[in-house]
Amino acid sequence: MKKKVLFIIGSLQSGGVSKSMISLLNAWDTEKYETSLLLCCKDGDVFSDYLPKNIQLIYNPVIEHVMGGFFSLKWLLVHGHFLLCLGVLLRLILSRISRPLASELIAKMMPVVSDVHYDLIVDYGGQQLLYYMVNKLSATKKVSFFHSDYSKWSFYYNADKKYYPVVDHIFTISQICVDSLKKFFPNCAEKVSIMENISSPVMIRRQSLESIGNFEVQIDQMKADGNTILCTIGHICRGKGFDFAIEASDILKRNGIKFKWVFIGKVLEEDLLKFITDKGLDDNILLVGIQSNPYPYISLSDIVVHPSRFEGKSIALDEAKILCKPIVVTNFSTVGDQFENRKNALICDMNGKALADSIVELINNRELSLSLIDYLKDNIQDNSSEVKKLYAFIN
């Protein structure tokens, strides 16, 4: 009989964790293992079309709504879940006081979706998914992932410190992230290690050739008019540095640089859109929203810019490297895990002027730009073999 494996993720919305989950599952041996995916929330799903066909998708709308906001209260009432409705109200109040307690309450309210005893369960999202996995699901081995530098995201420490000691392993995505977890959880140090986000060059190149319709024609015309095409992927918010990108755009425009900057992602902070308009940048910044396949946009761009304030290890940047684009990236704490300045990217300070200066340097210094591209072409890595680190827990 095939061994049974369950992966758990909050959603397949836009974002690096969702994309990383899809890449992992496409590298996973679904012929050898009977594989299921518990998807807690379908709202905003953009990646499910890329799931391997023989993965069993598990979804229970009750889980989505106990994780939801005030809109979910109506759904729970209509469907007769009166106690859960009270629980969600309590959780919304608790979330203002204690994120760990609110997250543990969500896990308690989440119904058991399977009575199967799995050989391996992989929590890919952390927090309430971790607590739910530990308390309500049965498995021989249970593994959790944390996708960032814990020192930048320690809001759930008071709950995590109870649950991390009882899982079999904790994976994270870079050495800095490993060191951070070990510092916060020294009693778990022996079971913390790296499993990189999987980026398959074959899959990414194939998807980069997909058509994006009329936008390709628009980009070609923009280039013919002398514009440099910039591209940034991420949730449009200050955490991802989009305020820096807007400031850089203003500087570029005032200095006579012809450019179009494509922003790919969900708008999380609406006031940034007003910032764009107030600076007169509506013609320079192109908001294309969430894209399940961003690779054609990267492929059509001249420079990829990543202005983030913090990252675990950015999968968007790994993808830009595979597509061999010159990259400008801010000096966040884990940037050294992916880049060496002026070798495979330009690393700049976290402000709009530094971003603008680096962009201008790449535009004007063709030799530097080509040297970055050549290095990336010579150092493309396929890390699909990272899945073997999970196989070790079931073989």
Side-chain angles (χ1 to χ4, degrees), residues 1-8 28 33-39 55-59 111-123 132-134 136-143 168 393-395:
M1 290 181 63
K2 289 183 179 180
K3 291 187 176 181
K4 294 179 173 62
V5 179
L6 174 68
F7 291 90
I8 308 173
W28 187 256
Y33 304 108
E34 185 179 314
T35 307
S36 302
L37 173 67
L38 170 57
L39 180 62
I55 286 181
Q56 180 189 359
L57 190 63
I58 301 172
Y59 169 75
V112 176
V113 294
S114 174
D115 58 2
V116 172
H117 178 81
Y118 294 93
D119 295 282
L120 173 66
I121 299 180
V122 179
D123 145 49
Y132 174 72
M133 173 183 73
V134 168
K136 292 196 172 183
L137 299 178
S138 175
T140 303
K141 298 285 185 181
K142 295 181 179 181
V143 170
D168 294 286
F393 291 93
I394 41 179
N395 291 334

Side-chain angles (χ1 to χ4, degrees), residues 244-245 247-248 251-252 261 305 307 328-331 346-362:
F244 298 150
E247 290 171 10
I251 293 168
L252 293 173
W261 198 328
V305 185
V328 174
V329 60
T330 44
N331 191 25
L346 290 192
I347 301 174
C348 70
D349 291 337
M350 286 188 190
N351 59 71
K353 184 179 184 304
L355 275 178
D357 288 346
S358 294
I359 291 165
V360 169
E361 182 174 7
L362 279 179

Side-chain angles (χ1 to χ4, degrees), residues 228-230 244-261 263 279 281 284-285 303 305 328 352-364:
T228 297
I229 309 302
L230 312 174
F244 298 150
I246 297 167
E247 290 171 10
S249 297
D250 184 44
I251 293 168
L252 293 173
K253 185 173 182 177
R254 285 191 282 108
N255 283 277
I257 304 298
K258 295 191 71 173
F259 72 98
K260 301 292 183 181
W261 198 328
F263 285 7
K279 293 288 187 180
L281 296 168
N284 296 93
I285 294 175
I303 301 170
V305 185
V328 174
K353 184 179 184 304
L355 275 178
D357 288 346
S358 294
I359 291 165
V360 169
E361 182 174 7
L362 279 179
I363 292 172
N364 292 335

Side-chain angles (χ1 to χ4, degrees), residues 123 125-127 130-131 134 144-147 150 156-157 159-171 181 184-185 187-188 191-192:
D123 145 49
Q127 297 152 26
L130 164 63
Y131 318 148
V134 168
S144 184
F145 275 77
F146 192 80
H147 296 270
Y150 200 89
Y156 298 88
Y157 173 74
D160 290 343
K161 69 181 181 181
K162 295 184 284 186
Y163 289 89
Y164 276 149
V166 298
V167 299
D168 294 286
H169 204 77
I170 306 159
F171 281 112
L181 278 169
F184 277 86
F185 305 99
N187 58 325
C188 300
K191 57 182 178 182
V192 178

Side-chain angles (χ1 to χ4, degrees), residues 103-378:
S103 198
E104 287 186 280
L105 180 57
I106 290 175
K108 289 177 181 177
M109 292 190 292
M110 291 168 65
V112 176
V113 294
S114 174
D115 58 2
V116 172
H117 178 81
Y118 294 93
D119 295 282
L120 173 66
I121 299 180
V122 179
D123 145 49
Y124 209 66
Q127 297 152 26
Q128 61 261 24
L129 306 188
L130 164 63
Y131 318 148
Y132 174 72
M133 173 183 73
V134 168
N135 290 333
K136 292 196 172 183
L137 299 178
S138 175
T140 303
K141 298 285 185 181
K142 295 181 179 181
V143 170
S144 184
F145 275 77
F146 192 80
H147 296 270
S148 192
D149 177 347
Y150 200 89
S151 67
K152 310 292 185 185
W153 194 259
S154 58
F155 311 111
Y156 298 88
Y157 173 74
N158 286 333
D160 290 343
K161 69 181 181 181
K162 295 184 284 186
Y163 289 89
Y164 276 149
V166 298
V167 299
D168 294 286
H169 204 77
I170 306 159
F171 281 112
T172 189
I173 53 179
S174 74
Q175 189 58 50
I176 287 176
C177 295
V178 165
D179 295 340
S180 183
L181 278 169
K182 287 182 176 181
K183 180 180 178 181
F184 277 86
F185 305 99
N187 58 325
C188 300
E190 295 302 314
K191 57 182 178 182
V192 178
S193 66
I194 296 172
M195 180 173 165
E196 295 177 356
N197 289 321
I198 291 173
S199 298
S200 166
V202 173
M203 189 171 90
I204 288 170
R205 283 176 182 147
R206 185 174 68 241
Q207 289 178 243
S208 75
L209 299 175
E210 292 180 8
S211 173
I212 50 175
N214 189 52
F215 197 77
E216 292 178 39
V217 178
Q218 294 177 44
I219 291 290
D220 287 341
Q221 185 58 55
M222 292 171 194
K223 289 184 176 182
D225 291 340
N227 288 286
T228 297
I229 309 302
L230 312 174
C231 181
T232 298
I233 300 174
H235 294 313
I236 298 173
C237 61
R238 286 170 177 78
K240 293 298 182 181
F242 277 83
D243 53 329
F244 298 150
I246 297 167
E247 290 171 10
S249 297
D250 184 44
I251 293 168
L252 293 173
K253 185 173 182 177
R254 285 191 282 108
N255 283 277
I257 304 298
K258 295 191 71 173
F259 72 98
K260 301 292 183 181
W261 198 328
V262 182
F263 285 7
I264 303 173
K266 181 179 181 180
V267 178
L268 296 186
E269 296 177 12
E270 294 284 342
D271 65 306
L272 290 176
L273 303 186
K274 185 175 184 301
F275 190 18
I276 291 170
T277 299
D278 289 347
K279 293 288 187 180
L281 296 168
D282 291 298
D283 288 337
N284 296 93
I285 294 175
L286 311 177
L287 300 163
V288 300
I290 298 169
Q291 300 294 327
S292 60
N293 178 11
Y295 309 124
Y297 295 89
I298 298 174
S299 185
L300 289 168
S301 68
D302 298 302
I303 301 170
V304 171
V305 185
H306 199 81
S308 191
R309 282 177 165 82
F310 60 88
E311 291 286 350
K313 189 179 181 200
S314 170
I315 193 169
L317 287 172
D318 282 339
E319 293 162 349
K321 288 164 71 176
I322 286 170
L323 292 172
C324 300
K325 292 295 173 178
I327 297 165
V328 174
V329 60
T330 44
N331 191 25
F332 49 80
S333 63
T334 60
V335 72
D337 289 329
Q338 290 174 285
F339 295 104
E340 186 175 340
N341 191 34
R342 307 185 77 84
K343 191 170 185 178
N344 58 354
L346 290 192
I347 301 174
C348 70
D349 291 337
M350 286 188 190
N351 59 71
K353 184 179 184 304
L355 275 178
D357 288 346
S358 294
I359 291 165
V360 169
E361 182 174 7
L362 279 179
I363 292 172
N364 292 335
N365 189 339
R366 182 64 175 164
E367 184 178 349
L368 173 60
S369 183
L370 288 174
S371 74
L372 296 178
I373 292 169
D374 288 343
Y375 183 88
L376 292 170
K377 284 180 178 178
D378 291 340

